């Protein structure tokens, strides 16, 4: 078991498979984002080795994210490798949906049980504006392919920005209800410097979204907790739940059960802090030394911070973008 110095057990790791992406979402990247040189990013074999170390340490949930994980060449191999780890209970994926039309079946066969698909607008023109290059129809076909592939659960994630898509929250919930899916609304987090909008101006709080939804739906709070920043509500008369991911308005750090590994192999102990440990140095310096890697990870628990505060009015203290951290 991995227990940090505040007694929280860490059971969930999010692995960033690549910092690259076929989209350029305005809240996630600047327009001319440059990507890391190949040699700096972990190979798929190194990621699989790190996943194995975590699972042997008692981490039973692994999420693959990015960047866009599905644009990395041969990524299905990685899913298959991780899917075979005997101690793992859940392998899940976060994706923008652009590649699902061709990959959903293979992912399901590799053992992915649940997927999160990002969807910020149902209007093709707006979708393009928010993602800068994304094709809504391709993503909708990807969502249909994921449904056909039979995942246990599909959840939609929408980042809501004032005057961009805040008026679509009911339509997005409707879309989810029609397909029996859950949906989470995410407040924008100040990760990395972006040039497209002012984050304080675009801020639309979970409380505002909830208020808007309650004009149309009855939301019943559930007691389910993920150990993360989400709160869930059941939408009465449907099979869907609505989640709110609110890093600004609600403090969730006391029950934090997760860590992240960046594309470069930095083990991040907190999304909102810089505390990290270089796992790439260990996997490259001592290839195949699983015990050393496990020791390094276990020792890192001693520097997991108590929590974080984001402040929209100041320059971001965290200079890495979400595409590097993996959300
Ligand atoms: N490319 C995949 C996707 O978009 O789902 C996976 C990686 S993406 C970084 C993971 C999640 O982070 C997405 O739901 C995305 O909308 C969200 N995200 C990106 N930048 C964000 C930000 N600044 N604040 C809040 N959420 C953000
Ligand atoms: Fe790509 Fe996901 Fe970031 Fe959008 S949020 S730019 S899809 S990594």
């Amino acid at each position: 078991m991995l227990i940090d110095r505040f007694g929280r057990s860490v059971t969930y790791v999010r692995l960033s498979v690549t910092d690259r992406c076929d989209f350029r979402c305005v809240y996630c990247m600047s327009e001319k984002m440059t990507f890391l040189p190949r040699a700096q990013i972990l190979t798929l074999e190194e990621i699989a080795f790190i996943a194995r170390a975590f699972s042997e340490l008692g981490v039973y949930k692994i999420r693959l994210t990015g960047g866009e994980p599905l644009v990395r060449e041969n990524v299905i191999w990685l899913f298959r490798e991780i899917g075979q780890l005997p101690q793992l209970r859940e392998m899940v994926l976060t994706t923008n949906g652009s590649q699902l039309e061709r990959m959903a079946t293979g992912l399901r066969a590799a053992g992915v049980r649940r997927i999160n698909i990002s969807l910020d607008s149902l209007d093709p023109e707006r979708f393009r504006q928010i993602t800068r290059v994304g094709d809504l129809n391709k993503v909708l076909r990807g969502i249909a392919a994921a449904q056909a592939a039979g995942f246990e659960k599909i959840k939609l994630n929408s980042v809501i920005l004032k005057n961009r898509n805040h008026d679509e929250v009911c339509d997005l919930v409707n879309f989810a209800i029609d397909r029996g899916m859950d949906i989470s609304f995410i407040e924008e987090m100040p990760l990395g410097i972006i040039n497209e909008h002012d984050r304080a101006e675009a801020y639309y709080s979970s409380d505002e979204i909830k208020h808007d939804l309650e004009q149309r739906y009855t939301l019943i709070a559930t007691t389910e907790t993920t150990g993360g920043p989400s709160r869930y509500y059941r939408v009465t008369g449907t099979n869907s739940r609505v989640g709110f991911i609110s890093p600004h308005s609600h403090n969730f750090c006391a029950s934090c059960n997760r860590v992240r590994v960046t594309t470069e192999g930095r083990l991040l102990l907190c999304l909102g802090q810089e505390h990290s440990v270089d796992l790439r140095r260990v996997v490259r310096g001592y290839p195949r030394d699983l015990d050393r890697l496990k020791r390094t990870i276990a020792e890192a628990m001693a520097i997991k911070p108590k929590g974080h505060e984001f402040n929209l009015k100041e320059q971001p203290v965290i200079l890495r973008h979400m595409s590097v951290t993996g959300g």
Side-chain angles (χ1 to χ4, degrees), residues 104-311:
T105 315
L107 290 165
R108 185 70 190 98
V112 178
R113 290 169 49 183
R114 298 192 292 117
I115 57 175
N116 290 356
I117 307 175
S118 297
L119 181 69
D120 300 332
S121 175
L122 294 167
D123 175 86
E125 188 46 42
R126 272 192 186 183
F127 187 84
R128 173 151 319 234
Q129 274 168 16
I130 294 173
T131 60
R132 289 204 180 92
V133 287
D135 174 355
L136 175 65
N137 281 320
K138 197 169 169 196
V139 172
L140 295 180
R141 289 199 303 273
I143 293 173
Q147 282 195 286
F151 292 98
E152 285 170 20
K153 190 146 237 159
I154 302 175
K155 180 162 81 77
L156 303 174
N157 279 333
S158 306
V159 175
I160 299 299
L161 304 175
K162 191 172 184 170
N163 296 329
R164 282 294 163 89
N165 60 350
H166 80 265
D167 56 341
E168 283 196 65
V169 293
C170 283
D171 293 344
L172 287 162
V173 168
N174 228 9
F175 180 91
I177 290 172
D178 282 348
R179 289 160 183 76
M181 298 173 182
D182 292 343
I183 181 163
S184 284
F185 293 105
I186 310 177
E187 289 177 355
E188 184 180 16
M189 289 176 239
L191 291 178
I193 294 174
I194 50 163
N195 52 7
E196 202 265 352
H197 59 273
D198 180 300
R199 283 187 151 137
E201 242 163 62
Y203 180 56
Y204 200 69
S205 72
S206 292
D207 288 343
E208 287 170 286
I209 300 171
K210 182 161 171 279
H211 174 267
D212 296 347
L213 294 178
E214 281 172 340
Q215 309 309 305
R216 199 147 130 198
Y217 304 101
T218 306
L219 303 180
I220 312 277
T222 70
T223 49
E224 293 151 75
T225 166
T226 58
S230 321
R231 288 170 299 141
Y232 285 102
Y233 294 80
R234 232 164 232 301
V235 187
T236 309
T238 76
N239 289 325
S240 296
R241 293 181 313 164
V242 174
F244 296 97
I245 303 182
S246 330
H248 301 288
S249 26
H250 299 275
N251 203 330
F252 51 86
C253 301
S255 59
C256 180
N257 61 355
R258 62 198 61 193
V259 293
R260 296 167 169 80
V261 179
T262 70
T263 324
E264 291 170 283
R266 255 205 312 150
L267 170 60
L268 295 174
L269 284 314
C270 173
L271 183 60
Q273 305 274 3
E274 290 292 358
H275 302 67
S276 71
V277 170
D278 186 357
L279 299 183
R280 189 183 63 193
R281 192 183 49 78
V282 181
V283 291
R284 296 207 173 153
Y286 307 91
R288 287 187 286 279
D289 190 343
L290 192 60
D291 286 338
R292 184 183 291 262
L293 180 60
K294 282 163 66 178
R295 244 184 355 261
T296 308
I297 294 170
E299 283 165 12
M301 295 302 121
I303 58 161
K304 186 165 165 57
K306 194 163 187 187
H308 73 262
E309 287 294 338
F310 287 127
N311 188 342

Side-chain angles (χ1 to χ4, degrees), residues 14 16 18 20-23 25-29 64-70 93-97 116-120 156-159 161 186-192 194 197 199 245 247-248 321-327:
R14 301 165 77 109
S16 179
T18 174
R20 282 157 212 265
C21 188
D22 51 345
F23 289 3
C25 301
V26 293
Y27 46 75
C28 179
M29 294 188 183
L64 294 159
T65 176
E68 177 45 45
L70 302 186
L93 160 72
T94 303
T95 173
N96 65 21
N116 290 356
I117 307 175
S118 297
L119 181 69
D120 300 332
L156 303 174
N157 279 333
S158 306
V159 175
L161 304 175
I186 310 177
E187 289 177 355
E188 184 180 16
M189 289 176 239
L191 291 178
I194 50 163
H197 59 273
R199 283 187 151 137
I245 303 182
H248 301 288
H321 288 84
M322 195 67 127
S323 55
V324 175
T325 340

